[in-house]
Structure formats: structure tokens, C-alpha cells
């Protein structure tokens, strides 16, 4: 029987590479995306390499879209072994510049989108008494950072959710894994949503930090490295709760662990503003 994986947000970046990596490892993979017209590239590769990949429409903001996709998957394969919650976007702007609507939209996709998808998949995994849920958080889920408080908060929320649900799902044989990449070279930065009011007192700070992030993104970790870490994690009998990916993520998380809150804040200020 095929082992079945679902990946959200597979049209590009980490989701695209993870769908391919899981299929290359032998999982029958549903590469889901909100616009299936973006699925041609992955289907071409699948055909050339003879991989078990299907493209399916799934918008994590839309409950009926999730329900429909999961029904299609179960009626075809009757099981789900791995769910990778990857879909997300990057909201940029200092808190005072952000509207409540923009913050809610960010949570709608990055947090509630994950919740919706997990809730749709859990009854199937519980019935199987097995399954692995992989939540793509970020080093931004562990470390506060100026100019991206909406994104950071959505990933902090995802970390809290993941850490809590882990306990609830262990008795049902379901594992939860958090992936924490640093800066990865993907479309996330080209498609970011940015808000700065024209008379914003945060304009200079926003530009400075954003330019730094854009420069870092050019030298970011390749998305294939994140995908390989996910494959390694889901292949393990006893996966760790968290997997940081990239030297930058490891460096920041080590610094956070080894410094007091104030020492860490000074370290980040020096990294960003000096
Ligand atoms: N790049 C980084 O530095 C980095 C670092 C840490 C964590 N991450 C996380 O990694 C994940 C993937 O991002 P990426 O870096 O690979 O960026 P990406 O290339 O922009 O991919 C984001 C994916 O999410 C999809 N998406 C957005 N909203 C969606 C929705 N409502 N329903 C379904 N799919 C939706 C996008 O689809 P469309 O093509 O339709 O827009 C795209 O496929 C995100 O959760 C991000 O926060 C990224």
C-alpha cells in the first residue's frame, strides 16, 4: 500500500521541493496549491522522474476547499501518512503601521490555515493510529524581530499550537514536528505584503531592516535543504520536536539559548542596526 503525503503551498519554494523530496523517497504525494495552474512544473518533473505526484487544489483559507481535497485524497488512497503544513506568506510592517485586518489575514493563512488543515486530517490519522504532522514554522517562531511583528506572532502561535498538540496526539500514534528554517531563498520575499503609512515614523526602520532581509534572502539556504530535513525527520522512528534549518537559524537559536533576554536583545540590535 502506498504511503501518502500531503503538502500545502506546493506551487513554489519549500512546498515545491518538499513534495518532490517526499515523492522521491517513495511517498505518493499530493502537491496541493490554491491555483493548480501553477502545477505544470512539478508535474513535468514527476513525469520525467516517474514520481507519484498529483496536483490538487487546496486553499488553506477556505474550509470547503480543504474538505474537498481531503475527501478526494481519502477516496483515492484511503490513508494519509504525512501532512506538511507549509502554505504561508510574509507580512512586513511595524505594529503601528499594520491594520487589524492585515494582522487577521496573516493569521488566517499562517495560523488558522494550519489549524483547519490539521483538523480535517486528524480523524483519518486517528483511525489509522499513525501519522506525522509537520508544521513549517521559522526561526521567527522563536525570536522576536522588529518590522515583522505580524509574521513573527503568527509563527510564535504556530509553535505554541505544535508544542501543545504533540501531547494530545501521542496517545493516537500521531507525531508532530516543527521545522524552523532561517532565511531560505524562495519567493517569500518577492511576494511579501508590506505596509508603511506615507508619514510613518517607522519608515526608515522598515526600509533598513527590510533591505537587510532582502540581501540575506539572496544568500539564503536553498529550499532543497529544508525539504531534505523534512524527509529525514519524517523517516525517523523517533523524530525530534524541532528541526532548525540553516546556519543562521542555528546561530540565532544558540545565541537565544545561551544569553539572558537583555543580552540577546543587544545582540539582535547589533546584528540589525550597527
Ligand atoms: N523563505 C524563508 O526564508 C522562510 C523561512 C522560514 C519559514 N518559511 C516558511 O516556509 C513556508 C513556505 O514559504 P516559502 O519560503 O517556500 O515561500 P513561497 O515560495 O512564497 O511559498 C509559499 C507558498 O504558500 C502558498 N500559499 C500562500 N497562501 C496560501 C493559501 N491561502 N492557501 C494555499 N497556499 C497558499 C503560496 O501559493 P501561491 O503561489 O498561490 O501564492 C506558495 O505556494 C511559509 O510558511 C513560510 O513562512 C520561509
Amino acid at each position: 500500500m502506498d504511503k501518502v503525503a500531503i503538502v500545502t503551498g506546493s506551487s513554489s519554494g519549500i512546498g515545491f521541493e518538499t513534495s518532490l523530496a517526499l515523492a522521491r523517497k517513495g511517498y505518493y504525494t499530493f502537491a496541493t496549491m490554491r491555483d493548480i495552474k501553477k502545477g505544470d512544473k512539478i508535474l513535468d518533473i514527476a513525469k520525467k522522474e516517474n514520481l507519484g505526484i498529483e496536483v490538487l487544489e487546496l486553499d488553506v483559507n477556505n474550509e470547503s476547499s480543504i474538505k474537498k481535497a481531503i475527501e478526494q485524497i481519502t477516496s483515492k488512497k484511503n490513508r494519509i501518512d504525512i501532512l506538511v503544513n507549509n502554505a504561508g506568506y510574509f507580512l512586513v510592517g511595524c505594529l503601528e503601521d499594520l491594520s487589524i485586518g492585515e494582522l487577521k489575514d496573516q493569521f488566517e493563512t499562517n495560523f488558522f490555515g494550519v489549524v483547519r488543515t490539521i483538523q480535517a486530517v486528524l480523524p483519518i490519522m486517528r483511525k489509522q493510529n499513525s501519522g506525522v504532522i509537520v508544521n513549517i514554522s521559522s526561526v521567527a517562531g522563536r525570536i522576536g524581530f522588529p518590522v515583522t511583528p505580524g509574521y513573527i506572532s503568527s509563527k510564535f502561535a504556530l509553535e505554541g499550537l505544535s508544542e501543545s498538540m504533540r501531547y494530545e496526539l501521542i496517545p493516537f500514534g500521531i507525531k508532530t514536528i516543527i521545522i524552523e528554517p532561517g532565511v531560505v531563498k524562495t519567493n517569500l520575499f518577492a511576494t511579501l505584503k508590506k505596509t508603511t503609512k506615507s508619514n510613518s515614523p517607522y519608515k526608515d526602520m522598515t526600509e533598513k531592516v527590510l533591505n537587510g532581509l532582502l540581501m540575506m534572502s539572496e544568500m539564503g539556504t536553498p529550499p532543497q535543504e529544508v525539504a531534505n530535513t523534512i524527509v529525514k525527520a519524517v523517516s525517523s522512528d523517533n523524530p525530534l520536536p524541532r528541526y532548525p534549518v540553516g546556519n543562521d537559524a542555528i546561530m540565532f537559536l544558540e545565541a537565544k539559548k545561551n544569553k539572558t533576554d537583555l543580552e540577546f536583545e543587544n545582540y539582535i540590535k547589533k546584528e540589525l542596526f550597527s
Side-chain angles (χ1 to χ4, degrees):
M1 196 188 293
D2 282 334
K3 283 219 163 196
V4 176
I6 308 175
V7 182
T8 66
S10 292
S11 68
S12 64
I14 295 169
F16 179 90
E17 294 298 341
T18 301
S19 285
L20 284 175
L22 287 168
R24 284 175 185 138
K25 189 77 184 171
Y27 290 93
Y28 192 91
T29 302
F30 290 91
T32 74
M33 53 195 76
R34 58 182 165 177
D35 177 4
I36 55 167
K37 290 199 285 294
K38 293 185 179 176
D40 289 352
K41 190 172 165 202
I42 203 164
L43 288 176
D44 278 352
I45 299 174
K47 199 169 162 199
K48 273 187 204 127
E49 295 185 26
N50 199 21
L51 301 173
I53 291 187
E54 259 184 69
V55 167
L56 217 55
E57 187 176 322
L58 192 158
D59 179 343
V60 299
N61 289 6
N62 181 331
E63 199 155 342
S64 59
S65 157
I66 296 173
K67 195 165 168 258
K68 195 172 152 203
I70 301 302
E71 275 169 8
Q72 281 175 275
I73 292 165
T74 45
S75 71
K76 193 159 192 179
K77 290 289 176 187
N78 204 26
R79 60 181 298 110
I80 297 173
D81 296 284
I82 292 168
L83 166 66
V84 182
N85 288 302
N86 166 76
Y89 75 91
F90 190 31
L91 177 65
V92 173
C94 289
L95 184 66
E96 201 181 338
D97 283 338
L98 292 170
S99 69
I100 293 290
E102 286 166 324
L103 287 163
K104 281 186 173 173
D105 286 350
Q106 176 75 111
F107 270 73
E108 197 58 45
T109 302
N110 289 16
F111 179 73
F112 290 109
V114 176
V115 173
R116 268 185 216 102
T117 315
I118 290 173
Q119 287 182 337
V121 163
L122 276 183
I124 299 139
M125 287 187 170
R126 258 192 311 100
K127 219 157 89 192
Q128 291 166 188
N129 207 29
S130 69
V132 185
I133 295 176
V134 181
N135 291 336
I136 310 299
S137 175
S138 168
V139 71
R142 304 275 298 285
I143 288 171
F145 223 68
V147 181
T148 57
Y151 180 76
I152 298 258
S153 307
S154 72
K155 294 295 187 186
F156 264 63
L158 185 56
E159 293 267 343
L161 174 88
S162 310
E163 219 173 278
S164 308
M165 61 184 253
R166 228 179 116 79
Y167 294 105
E168 297 173 359
L169 299 181
I170 285 169
F172 299 100
I174 302 166
K175 295 164 186 158
T176 308
I177 299 169
I178 310 170
I179 305 291
E180 296 169 335
V183 175
V184 185
K185 199 172 175 186
T186 67
N187 284 349
L188 193 80
F189 302 92
T191 57
L192 63 85
K193 292 191 182 160
K194 181 179 148 215
T195 297
T196 330
K197 292 180 182 138
S198 55
N199 57 349
S200 170
Y202 305 98
K203 206 161 178 253
D204 290 348
M205 189 197 290
T206 304
E207 291 308 320
K208 187 163 193 229
V209 172
L210 182 55
N211 288 339
L213 275 171
L214 293 176
M215 267 163 56
M216 277 170 78
S217 76
E218 284 306 306
M219 296 170 294
T221 300
Q224 291 87 347
E225 205 173 309
V226 185
N228 292 341
T229 302
I230 293 168
V231 169
K232 188 178 115 198
V234 300
S235 306
S236 163
D237 287 336
N238 292 303
L240 298 171
R242 292 187 159 86
Y243 289 83
V245 191
N247 291 337
D248 53 345
I250 290 162
M251 184 185 80
F252 279 127
L253 292 172
E254 274 299 303
K256 174 104 179 176
K257 198 164 72 185
N258 297 325
K259 293 181 193 297
T260 65
D261 284 352
L262 280 177
E263 281 169 353
F264 185 71
E265 194 175 284
N266 285 329
Y267 164 78
I268 291 286
K269 281 198 290 202
K270 212 166 128 201
E271 288 283 316
L272 288 182
F273 299 119
S274 59

